[in-house]
Amino acid sequence: MTTETSPKPAVRQLRLIVEAEDYEAALTFYRDVLGLTEQAVFEGDGDARVTILEAGRATLELSNPSQVKMIDQVEADGQPSAKIRLAFEVDDSAAKTKELVEAGGTLIAEPRETPWKSLNSRLAAPAGLQVTLFQEVESLQERSTRSGFKRP
């Protein structure tokens, strides 16, 4: 009997490295309010510090310019997104958006339902990042039945 196993992935982790001028404000925003958990904290000579925060499963979403323009129209009333934008899946995008605005984020777009059945909001966030929060309204299985969806 032959047992098929999945091949080992060539990449084991996606890590985004960001220089944060206001390190404490960034920690408060991403760790304490958004809810990312500390994986490791390191201190070096002088005031050198780094905190690695876990964000669950990592994916890399590649979009062509037409898709980005369409997403900007749907998600942010046409306001252009940054070349690199972080997206975090949360359980309640409306509540988490409010919390992040109170923690120093600048609201770009209120949560709204998208054609791909998620509730998305957009914020300008500490460390010069642009953030989308999304809450899935339908499962991937349910969305896979819609036109335009292609399964790999």
Side-chain angles (χ1 to χ4, degrees):
M1 175 186 230
T2 305
T3 305
E4 254 187 66
T5 59
S6 298
K8 277 191 167 181
V11 176
R12 294 162 51 74
Q13 181 181 155
L14 171 65
R15 181 171 294 169
L16 179 67
I17 295 94
V18 177
E19 179 181 350
E21 289 292 327
D22 190 338
Y23 182 78
E24 292 302 325
L27 272 179
T28 298
F29 187 89
Y30 294 104
R31 180 192 61 199
D32 303 337
V33 181
L34 184 56
L36 304 182
T37 57
E38 286 184 1
Q39 181 186 67
V41 178
F42 301 98
E43 294 182 0
D45 293 338
D47 190 33
R49 296 175 20 191
V50 62
T51 300
I52 300 170
L53 300 171
E54 290 190 30
R57 183 174 63 99
T59 60
L60 177 62
E61 180 178 315
L62 301 174
S63 300
N64 70 12
S66 295
Q67 177 70 14
V68 170
K69 188 174 180 177
M70 187 272 292
I71 289 170
D72 290 345
Q73 191 60 47
V74 168
E75 188 174 288
D77 300 322
Q79 295 182 62
S81 56
K83 192 82 168 162
I84 295 175
R85 180 170 40 90
L86 301 180
F88 295 101
E89 182 179 0
V90 297
D91 290 332
D92 184 339
S93 61
K96 190 56 75 176
T97 298
K98 184 176 187 248
E99 289 176 41
L100 291 175
V101 167
E102 291 169 359
T106 302
L107 186 67
I108 295 172
E110 294 277 353
R112 69 216 34 217
E113 187 168 339
T114 68
W116 45 92
K117 300 300 180 194
S118 61
L119 296 174
N120 292 19
S121 66
R122 192 178 289 178
L123 302 106
L129 298 175
Q130 195 174 80
V131 170
T132 291
L133 298 182
F134 67 101
Q135 174 186 345
E136 298 295 10
V137 177
E138 288 184 338
S139 70
L140 186 58
Q141 177 68 27
E142 290 169 312
R143 284 183 282 151
S144 70
T145 63
R146 297 186 182 284
S147 66
F149 187 93
K150 293 182 180 179
R151 192 169 281 285

